[in-house]
Amino acid sequence: MSHYSHTIGVRNYRFVDLKDLMAKATPPRSGDYLAGIAATHAEQRVAAQMTLAALPLRTLLQQPVIPYESDEVTRLIIDTHDAQAFASVQHMTVGDFRDWLLSDVADEQALSSLAPGVTPEMAAAVSKIMRVQDLILVAKKCRVITRFRNTIGLADRLATRLQPNHPTDDAIGIAASMVDGLLYGAGDAVIGINPASDNVQQVTRILHMLEEVIRHYDIPTQSCVLTHVTNTIAAVERGAPVDLVFQSIAGTEAANRSFGIDLALLAEARDAALSLGRGTVGNNVMYFETGQGSALSANAHHGVDQQTCEARAYAVARRYKPLLINSVVGFIGPEYLYDGKQIVRAGLEDHFCGKLMGLPMGCDICYTNHAEADQNDMDVLLTLLATAGCNFVMAVPGSDDIMLNYQTTSFHDALYVRRVLNLKPAPEFETWLHKMAIFRDGAQVQLNEELPPRFRNALLKIST
C-alpha cells in the first residue's frame, strides 16, 4: 500500500492510499461527507490537492482505486487503455497535465487524439485541482461529434432532449408537450420519454406513437423510451421501432449490478439496436445517464469519492460509442450534492471529464425540491455549460417534470441560451425547423409567432 503526505507549516498530512488522497482532494460535497471520506477541513483539502498535483499520471494507471481482480469496470479501463495515445503525456504529473490542458498546444486535434489514453481516474484527478474557468476552457476545446438521424456536437450548436413525460403516460398529454417543445425548436438530441409504467407492452406502445409523429412530420431526430435495457431488447424482439437504447450506468461493477446490468448485457443491447439499421447519417445507438452519488446510494462505491466513481461510468459509456451521455447532476438529491454551489461545480466537472475522455456529454441541469437550490442556480449552470460547449441539455414544459417530480430546464431556457450565445440546433434539425416555418429568418433565428399550417390539429391527429 502506498502512502502519500504533504506538509503545510508545522502540520504533516498523510493519506493512506490513492483513493483516500483523491477523496480528500475533492471540492466539498455532501455525498463524500455522508460516506465519511471527505477532507475534514480546508487545509487538509489543500494538502491533498498539492500532493495530487505532484503525482505522476502513470500512478493513476498503475494503482487502480478498485482492484482489477474484483471489478469488471476496472478491467475495462485497464484492458482498453490506449498506451499510444497516452504516450504524449505519460511523463507528466497531474499538475503538469493541468497546465498542458490549459495551454494553446492542447487544441481540438490534440485533445481528440489524447482521449483514448485518458482514464477516468486521470480525468477526475486533474479536475480536482482545476477552477471553474479551467473546467470550462478545456471542455470548450474538446469536440465530440455523434450521429444517428442528425449530427450532434458541432461547434456553435446546442441540442436539446425534448422530454414530454406524463404521470399516466396519457397520449394527449404527451402529444401536447411534444408539439409545444417542437414549436420552441426543442428535440434535436432526442425525443425521450420516461414511462410511468415500465413494462414491455407500454414501452412498445409509446415507441410506436413517437415513430408515427417523427415519420408523419419527417423530423430528423431520434426517439427513446427510457426503460430498462432488458425491456428495450424485448421490444426489439417484438418488432418495435427502437432508435436509441437507454440505460442508467455507474462506475463500479457492484453499482451496475444494482441496476440489473453488466457489460455483456450492454453489448447485447447495442447489437440489437444496430441490427435494426434505423440510423440515416450514423449508427450511434446508445443513450446513457449517470449521476454523482449513484454508486454510494447503492453502497457500491468501495470507499471511492463520488466524482471519481462518476468518471468511471464514462469508461463504461465510452465502450459502446453512445449518441448521448447525460449527467443527471442534481437528481439524486441533497444527500449527495447539497446546494446550488455543489451542483454547479459537479455539472462542470462531469462535462469536463466526459469530454476529455472523448464522450458526447450532455447535462440534465436539475435539482430536487428538497435541495438548497433554485432556478437561478440552474440558469448559472446552463449558461456555463453552454459556454463550455455542452452537447445537449433537457427541454421540459415549464422546467417542471410532472412525472419525475424534479426541476430541470425548460423549452424557454434552451431558447434563451441559444439566443444569448448565438447557438443553433443540430444542422439537419435546423433545416427542418425552417422548412416547417417554426423558425423564420431575421436579424437572428427567431420563433414564428403563429402555429405553422402543418401543425394545425396536430394534437388531435397524434392522440387518435
Side-chain angles (χ1 to χ4, degrees):
M1 180 180 292
S2 299
H3 296 273
Y4 304 93
S5 65
H6 187 87
T7 300
I8 297 180
V10 297
R11 293 187 180 91
N12 181 259
Y13 293 95
R14 290 175 57 85
F15 309 98
V16 297
D17 56 18
L18 183 57
K19 66 182 179 182
D20 182 44
L21 175 64
M22 295 274 277
K24 298 296 190 292
T26 305
R29 62 209 55 199
S30 52
D32 291 338
Y33 287 114
L34 179 66
I37 60 176
T40 55
H41 49 76
E43 187 174 280
Q44 185 186 36
R45 183 174 301 109
V46 169
Q49 290 171 339
M50 294 177 74
T51 306
L52 186 60
L55 190 75
L57 278 179
R58 291 189 305 273
T59 303
L60 295 159
L61 186 63
Q62 296 164 351
Q63 298 180 21
V65 293
I66 301 173
Y68 181 95
E69 297 76 17
S70 61
D71 187 90
E72 70 171 355
V73 177
T74 298
R75 293 193 290 275
L76 173 68
I77 292 166
I78 301 300
D79 294 348
T80 62
H81 181 249
D82 189 329
Q84 185 175 352
F86 180 57
S88 63
V89 298
Q90 66 178 350
H91 62 285
M92 296 182 185
T93 65
V94 174
D96 294 334
F97 188 40
R98 171 189 175 273
D99 293 343
W100 181 83
L101 289 171
L102 292 169
S103 74
D104 291 339
V105 176
D107 57 14
E108 181 179 324
Q109 182 177 351
L111 290 168
S112 178
S113 299
L114 174 67
V118 177
T119 68
E121 289 81 4
M122 293 175 193
V126 74
S127 76
K128 295 176 191 298
I129 62 169
M130 298 179 97
R131 295 172 57 184
V132 162
Q133 63 176 249
D134 300 339
L135 299 171
I136 293 171
L137 176 60
V138 177
K140 179 75 170 179
K141 296 191 288 184
C142 297
R143 181 72 47 212
V144 183
I145 298 169
T146 55
R147 297 176 174 88
F148 188 75
R149 290 203 190 98
N150 57 29
T151 306
I152 298 171
L154 294 171
D156 302 318
R157 294 184 183 272
L158 176 67
T160 56
R161 170 187 160 190
L162 175 50
Q163 185 171 305
N165 293 343
H166 192 276
T168 63
D169 290 337
D170 178 73
I172 295 176
I174 291 172
S177 295
M178 196 185 317
V179 172
D180 191 21
L182 289 168
L183 293 175
Y184 276 96
D188 46 343
V190 63
I191 302 176
I193 295 176
N194 300 86
S197 302
D198 195 13
N199 59 70
V200 178
Q201 182 177 355
Q202 184 74 332
V203 166
T204 301
R205 184 183 73 82
I206 297 173
L207 282 168
H208 280 290
M209 175 186 170
L210 293 174
E211 170 77 354
E212 181 180 348
V213 175
I214 289 172
R215 293 299 181 195
H216 181 77
Y217 293 111
D218 195 24
I219 309 172
T221 191
Q222 37 281 329
S223 69
C224 184
V225 175
L226 282 72
T227 185
H228 192 269
V229 65
T230 53
N231 287 339
T232 304
I233 292 172
V236 170
E237 292 171 347
R238 295 186 183 189
V242 173
D243 289 342
L244 304 184
V245 175
F246 166 80
Q247 183 56 48
S248 294
I249 57 173
T252 72
E253 179 181 347
N256 283 326
R257 196 181 304 122
S258 76
F259 290 149
I261 63 167
D262 58 20
L263 301 183
L265 181 60
L266 295 178
E268 179 187 349
R270 180 172 183 265
D271 289 343
L274 287 172
S275 72
L276 301 179
R278 292 175 58 81
T280 57
V281 298
N283 62 358
N284 298 116
V285 296
M286 303 299 284
Y287 173 20
F288 295 118
E289 287 191 346
T290 66
Q292 288 195 27
S294 59
L296 175 59
S297 69
N299 195 27
H301 63 296
H302 300 275
V304 178
D305 68 272
Q306 66 182 37
Q307 191 247 336
T308 300
C309 282
E310 171 73 3
R312 286 170 56 93
Y314 304 155
V316 176
R318 183 165 60 179
R319 177 71 168 177
Y320 305 102
K321 300 178 174 60
L323 180 77
L324 310 165
I325 174 171
N326 178 35
S327 167
V328 192
V329 64
F331 185 75
I332 304 181
E335 299 83 1
Y336 306 96
L337 294 169
Y338 178 72
D339 58 14
K341 184 174 183 178
Q342 292 187 11
I343 291 170
V344 167
R345 171 81 196 189
L348 293 171
E349 289 170 348
D350 295 349
H351 179 253
F352 162 85
C353 289
K355 282 289 184 66
L356 190 61
M357 293 173 61
L359 282 161
M361 288 301 299
C363 187
D364 191 340
I365 300 162
C366 62
Y367 63 99
T368 57
N369 288 315
H370 61 310
E372 290 294 320
D374 59 27
Q375 213 64 38
N376 289 319
D377 298 308
M378 302 305 101
D379 287 349
V380 169
L381 182 52
L382 171 63
T383 307
L384 294 176
L385 281 170
T387 302
C390 189
N391 280 28
F392 71 101
V393 296
M394 300 298 108
V396 174
S399 305
D400 183 8
D401 191 304
I402 59 173
M403 198 280 281
L404 294 174
N405 282 315
Y406 79 115
Q407 308 301 312
T408 181
T409 47
S410 70
F411 307 147
H412 303 78
D413 296 334
L415 184 61
Y416 140 74
V417 81
R418 279 175 173 168
R419 284 182 169 176
V420 78
L421 295 177
N422 196 27
L423 302 172
K424 297 179 180 181
E428 300 89 345
F429 194 77
E430 181 189 13
T431 299
W432 178 82
L433 290 169
H434 283 283
K435 183 182 77 172
M436 296 295 289
I438 295 172
F439 280 5
R440 59 183 172 83
D441 292 320
Q444 61 178 359
V445 174
Q446 299 181 28
L447 285 173
N448 194 335
E449 295 178 358
E450 297 181 0
L451 188 67
R454 289 189 63 187
F455 270 84
R456 297 185 190 282
N457 301 319
L459 293 181
L460 179 61
K461 292 179 181 178
I462 296 168
S463 62
T464 57

